[in-house]
């Protein structure tokens, strides 16, 4: 039961990252799009969510599930499952 809850929390964090795919590629400035949608700012929109809900438990000092979310390379690497947590460019592929 606990493992299932932890995996669900991990999925929420990963989904948040997928929503910010363009921001994860260095587009930190929010700019209006011509089709009525706005670009996502990693620094202003995604990072605060991760800090509030994820990095408290997923940091080097206490890497819950052996998953560290304080650096991009460790977020890509995944945790104790050995599966990648993020597959760049393929938001439907998740563990």
């Amino acid at each position: 039961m606990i493992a299932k809850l932890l995996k669900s929390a991990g999925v929420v964090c990963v989904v948040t990252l997928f929503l910010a795919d363009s921001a994860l590629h260095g587009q930190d400035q929010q700019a209006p799009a011509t089709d009525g949608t706005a670009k996502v700012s990693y620094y202003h929109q995604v990072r605060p969510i991760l800090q509030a809900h994820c990095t408290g438990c997923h940091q080097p000092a206490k890497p819950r599930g052996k998953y560290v979310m304080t650096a991009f390379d460790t977020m890509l690497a995944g945790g104790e499952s050995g599966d990648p947590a993020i597959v760049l460019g393929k938001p439907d592929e998740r563990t």
Side-chain angles (χ1 to χ4, degrees), residues 3-93:
K4 188 181 247 186
L5 290 173
L6 291 175
K7 186 165 185 154
S8 295
V11 169
V12 169
C13 290
V14 171
V15 168
T16 301
L17 293 172
F18 288 135
L19 293 175
D21 184 52
S22 64
L24 291 173
H25 289 92
Q27 298 175 358
D28 287 337
Q29 298 298 318
Q30 186 172 359
T34 57
D35 64 357
T37 62
K39 291 186 178 186
V40 176
S41 166
Y42 175 80
Y43 186 79
H44 294 290
Q45 295 170 300
V46 177
R47 186 172 157 259
I49 294 169
L50 295 178
Q51 286 178 323
H53 300 284
C54 305
T55 58
C57 293
H58 297 286
Q59 58 173 293
K62 54 179 179 178
R64 188 172 228 170
K66 297 182 182 175
Y67 187 54
V68 177
M69 298 183 71
T70 56
F72 187 64
D73 60 336
T74 59
M75 287 193 309
L76 290 176
E80 67 185 9
S81 71
D83 296 326
I86 301 169
V87 180
L88 293 178
K90 298 179 181 181
D92 293 332
E93 288 187 31

